Amino acid sequence: MSGGSGLSPLAGAELDLHRLVQELAEDDGELPERFICKDTPHGLITSSLPLMDIPVIDFSHLSSSSATTDELQKLQSALSSWGCFQIINHGIESSLIDELKENGRQFFKLPMEDKKKYARGANDIEGYGNDMVLYKNQTLDWTDSIYLVVSPEDDRKLNYWPQSPTSFREILEEYTTKLKLLLEILLKFMAKALDLEETSFLNQFGERPIMYTRYNFYPPCPRPDLVHGLKPHADGSAITFLLQDDEVEGLQFLKDDQWVRVPILPRAFLVNVGDQIEMMSNGIFKSPIHRAVTNSDKERISVAMFCAPEVGKEIGPIEALIDDTRPRLYKTVKDYREIYYEYYQQGKRPIDAVKL
Ligand SMILES: O=C(O)CCC(=O)C(=O)O
Ligand SMILES: [Fe+2]
């Protein structure tokens, strides 16, 4: 479900029964037509593309009194220019991060029949599967994934949570608890960076924020020049935390019509704003377009955590960010995810649906 970015599609979206990318990759056969992009130049890892000078925010500085102002300024500038940054010294243990990713890797290594026990069901978006077909003639992305609601806890569908490797569930649970705290801290810093009340963003998330995780697995691809790992999209979430592969590059952002490669910073979080923070910040923070590319000899894994306000919660630009020089740019909406998919299915950029 590339481009789906952490939100559920409209009911009745077409479910496709094509084969998993991993099976195709092991086949060594011809690249099926449905993966070949016909439109833009794509796919290329092209080391000729510039490496992004991505801002790195040190969380330990944000919490210390002396360095706070500079770091908040950096955060503000990162989010208004790029809409993304990397976090170091975030306090989540390396061992937890390593195990989370290793569990993902091990899961994708299981025999197909074991993985298929967790296969996405008809009319569901959760579980193990390939790119989900949401609109007609959609080009398929070269990725398989496991997609799970992790919060609120009572919305979890444990039947989709792998039991092999044995620590998969426990580690994901622990990771979710820690990321939820990190999300809260980050939202407070983001408000401070704009001179707002600390809870200005947090309040819009409500009591039961939604968190989805997606393990993206990109097998080596015979023609990385012809396919997308994940086609260009902006996330429909409010905030996305991404753990990139420690060794294999693949994530790229679009800035001023130019694709740039994201450097690997092991165990850092790549954080990007999703459409919902762009709306809440009245357009000051940008929800960036990004994509993942594949390569012909190495598999790649990434783990995304999409965070969004609770279901049914009204969200919109924070009042203090609306004035004569910056009029309100977005509507107030509920359940942006439905709007997101409706627009996505029509091949339009979802955030345009909520612009005034
Ligand atoms: O694999 C990556 O690096 C990108 C993942 C991503 O953009 C997503 O899951 O929405
Ligand atoms: Fe994304």
Side-chain angles (χ1 to χ4, degrees):
M1 203 203 56
S2 66
S5 311
L7 301 165
S8 53
L10 300 175
E14 182 196 344
L15 260 185
D16 198 64
L17 301 170
H18 55 261
R19 299 170 68 211
L20 286 135
V21 171
Q22 218 175 340
E23 293 175 307
L24 296 170
E26 281 158 17
D27 251 13
D28 243 8
E30 216 157 89
L31 186 66
E33 185 63 27
R34 293 202 64 186
F35 287 87
I36 301 177
C37 332
K38 283 121 206 133
D39 44 4
T40 44
H42 39 68
L44 312 165
I45 298 238
T46 51
S47 34
S48 62
L49 287 182
L51 206 54
M52 177 179 180
D53 187 15
I54 187 169
V56 177
I57 306 283
D58 186 329
F59 249 50
S60 65
H61 286 178
L62 276 173
S63 334
S64 83
S65 49
S66 54
T68 306
T69 320
D70 281 359
E71 216 65 15
L72 281 179
Q73 170 60 35
K74 217 160 129 188
L75 180 65
Q76 199 277 343
S77 136
L79 289 180
S80 24
S81 58
W82 289 99
C84 64
F85 60 92
Q86 310 227 46
I87 308 185
I88 53 167
N89 293 328
H90 41 64
I92 298 189
E93 307 88 313
S94 304
S95 56
L96 180 62
I97 289 179
D98 292 346
E99 203 169 345
L100 182 92
K101 283 202 281 190
E102 186 53 28
N103 281 350
R105 257 183 230 111
Q106 292 304 328
F107 174 81
F108 288 106
K109 280 201 184 121
L110 294 175
M112 196 47 84
E113 73 223 54
D114 293 344
K115 286 184 290 218
K116 283 191 172 166
K117 287 183 201 146
Y118 306 98
R120 185 170 70 217
N123 286 322
D124 207 343
I125 56 155
E126 284 185 68
Y128 168 63
N130 44 12
D131 191 6
M132 196 154 162
V133 177
L134 295 171
Y135 57 90
K136 232 177 149 194
N137 301 326
Q138 177 181 323
T139 307
L140 298 178
D141 289 340
W142 192 260
T143 182
D144 294 331
S145 62
I146 324 170
Y147 192 43
L148 303 167
V149 170
V150 291
S151 187
E153 239 174 87
D154 48 9
D155 285 350
R156 291 179 184 169
K157 292 183 182 163
L158 287 179
N159 54 312
Y160 289 131
W161 288 48
Q163 279 180 298
S164 173
T166 46
S167 66
F168 190 101
R169 292 183 173 188
E170 184 194 326
I171 294 291
L172 179 56
E173 215 172 323
E174 189 181 338
Y175 180 69
T176 302
T177 308
K178 301 215 157 140
L179 263 198
K180 206 186 275 182
L181 288 175
L182 196 63
L183 172 69
E184 262 184 45
I185 299 171
L186 175 64
L187 290 172
K188 288 183 180 170
F189 285 140
M190 282 166 51
K192 277 198 194 162
L194 290 175
D195 283 327
L196 298 169
E197 293 272 335
E198 203 175 57
T199 52
S200 301
F201 288 110
L202 199 55
N203 285 344
Q204 296 212 33
F205 279 69
E207 300 293 309
R208 289 164 54 85
I210 308 174
M211 293 167 73
Y212 291 88
T213 191
R214 187 166 66 202
Y215 296 71
N216 301 305
F217 181 74
Y218 308 90
C221 176
R223 292 298 305 269
D225 55 329
L226 296 181
V227 306
H228 287 302
L230 216 52
K231 61 177 79 57
H233 65 281
D235 290 349
S237 59
I239 292 282
T240 305
F241 292 92
L242 185 78
L243 289 172
Q244 294 198 75
D245 197 293
D246 287 342
E247 283 161 22
V248 185
E249 209 186 284
L251 178 61
Q252 300 180 348
F253 279 84
L254 188 65
K255 176 103 187 320
D256 306 325
D257 293 327
Q258 161 82 61
W259 286 104
V260 289
R261 292 146 52 215
V262 179
I264 293 173
L265 194 53
R267 300 180 186 130
F269 283 105
L270 180 293
V271 178
N272 69 269
V273 162
D275 291 352
Q276 301 192 54
I277 287 284
E278 180 169 321
M279 284 148 72
M280 292 178 202
S281 69
N282 201 23
I284 296 176
F285 293 159
K286 304 287 182 310
S287 171
I289 307 257
H290 53 285
R291 67 181 182 183
V293 300
T294 60
N295 71 83
S296 54
D297 52 10
K298 289 195 184 115
E299 61 187 40
R300 175 171 181 268
I301 193 164
S302 69
V303 187
M305 183 73 88
F306 304 101
C307 309
E310 77 178 38
V311 175
K313 180 97 182 143
E314 230 171 41
I315 63 154
I318 294 168
E319 284 300 325
L321 299 177
I322 304 172
D323 60 27
D324 292 345
T325 56
R326 175 169 279 276
R328 169 190 275 271
L329 296 177
Y330 304 87
K331 301 175 197 163
T332 295
V333 296
K334 264 194 223 165
D335 296 324
Y336 176 68
R337 60 167 141 195
E338 286 170 16
I339 301 168
Y340 186 95
Y341 278 98
E342 204 177 307
Y343 261 55
Y344 186 77
Q345 281 172 318
Q346 296 166 19
K348 300 193 225 160
R349 179 137 192 225
I351 196 146
D352 289 340
V354 297
K355 282 190 177 149
L356 283 169

